[in-house]
Amino acid sequence: MKSHSPDPATPAAGAGRARNRRGEGVLLRDEIVAAAERLLEREGTEEALTLRSVAREAGISAPSIYTHFADRDAILDAVLDIAFERLLRLVTQSTEGVSDPVERLLAGCHAYVRFGMQDPARYRVLFGRQRAGRPGAGSPVDMSDLPEVWRRRLDAFMVLVSGVRACVEAGRSASTDPFADASTLWTSLHGAVTMRQFVPGFPLPPLERTVDDLVHRIALIQS
């Protein structure tokens, strides 16, 4: 009986994922990031992300990750970029077509807290990680001093600054420093999200009412 040699185009059993063809490197990189996002969403913590777990989720060998990412933190940075882009898109989409500046500011703030409540794992990665090189308490920082990557990631915050400034220009806010008041508002919104995530069952007021109160008080909204 004539024997048949294996088809060279068919990977042997147990050989793992086939090598990407020329031009498919970007696709593999996207697969790695998507695998990390799925793990983060499923496990709810960034500790679940290891090179081995991401490789297993993506169906590739762990060493092949190094072609695209230097280490686990590089994968997390890619996940961060996507999450910040998603946050910016949600905030900007929520304000489209809203002509009243106060209502526009409220819409953006509500979108922010919805993101935090509906996507808690990604939210914790965005704002819960301890990062090296941050300024000490009380040290003023100019946005231009931040690395370019962080200026881009904070575009959603700049939408908040613009929202407070628009209220001032329309005579609807008594703020004399929209940047500082937007910073305080962001901090307070973050606290509202974090309290509900980490202190479940505490008798806090409804989140929508909390957001409305924070915006009116901190942005010094005038009726």
Side-chain angles (χ1 to χ4, degrees), residues 5 10 17 20 28 35 40 49 62 85 98 103 115 126 152 157 160 175 185 190 217 220:
S5 59
T10 304
R17 190 185 191 281
N20 275 31
L28 177 55
L40 185 63
L49 299 186
E85 289 171 6
V98 182
E103 293 302 318
F115 175 86
L126 290 185
R152 185 177 70 250
F157 168 66
L160 180 59
S175 172
L185 180 54
H190 175 70
R217 293 180 184 183
L220 304 175

Side-chain angles (χ1 to χ4, degrees), residues 17 44 99 103 109 136 172 196 216:
R17 190 185 191 281
S99 58
E103 293 302 318
C109 291
R172 304 287 299 283
R196 285 163 175 80
H216 280 85

Side-chain angles (χ1 to χ4, degrees), residues 191-213:
V193 171
T194 303
M195 283 290 290
R196 285 163 175 80
Q197 288 183 350
F198 295 101
V199 193
F202 189 82
L204 293 165
L207 185 54
E208 286 194 4
R209 193 177 85 195
T210 297
V211 174
D212 288 347
D213 287 346

Side-chain angles (χ1 to χ4, degrees), residues 16-17 28 31-32 34-36 38-39 42-43 47-65 75:
R17 190 185 191 281
L28 177 55
E31 290 172 12
I32 293 169
R38 289 195 300 272
L39 278 171
R42 188 166 68 238
E43 302 299 331
E47 281 68 32
L49 299 186
T50 64
L51 291 178
R52 183 170 297 178
S53 67
V54 172
R56 185 166 53 247
E57 180 73 19
I60 61 176
S61 64
S64 63
I65 289 179
I75 298 175

Side-chain angles (χ1 to χ4, degrees), residues 79-197:
V79 172
L80 276 173
D81 285 337
I82 292 173
F84 274 111
E85 289 171 6
R86 182 176 298 138
L87 174 58
L88 175 61
R89 186 166 60 251
L90 287 173
V91 170
T92 54
Q93 286 177 347
S94 73
T95 62
E96 288 176 356
V98 182
S99 58
D100 182 86
V102 174
E103 293 302 318
R104 191 162 60 245
L105 177 61
L106 284 166
C109 291
H110 281 289
Y112 174 90
V113 298
R114 280 199 305 273
F115 175 86
M117 296 303 295
Q118 295 174 2
D119 208 344
R122 286 187 180 86
Y123 187 83
R124 283 193 292 272
V125 172
L126 290 185
F127 301 116
R129 301 184 73 208
Q130 190 171 27
R131 297 177 174 90
R134 67 190 189 284
S139 300
V141 174
D142 189 283
M143 289 289 285
S144 62
D145 294 332
L146 293 174
E148 190 277 332
V149 64
W150 274 104
R151 291 200 302 273
R152 185 177 70 250
R153 287 174 177 175
L154 293 176
D155 281 346
F157 168 66
M158 297 311 296
V159 172
L160 180 59
V161 176
S162 297
V164 176
R165 186 175 291 117
C167 291
V168 173
E169 292 171 351
R172 304 287 299 283
S173 167
S175 172
T176 57
D177 190 339
F179 187 95
D181 290 335
S183 299
T184 302
L185 180 54
W186 179 23
T187 303
S188 300
L189 293 173
H190 175 70
V193 171
T194 303
M195 283 290 290
R196 285 163 175 80
Q197 288 183 350

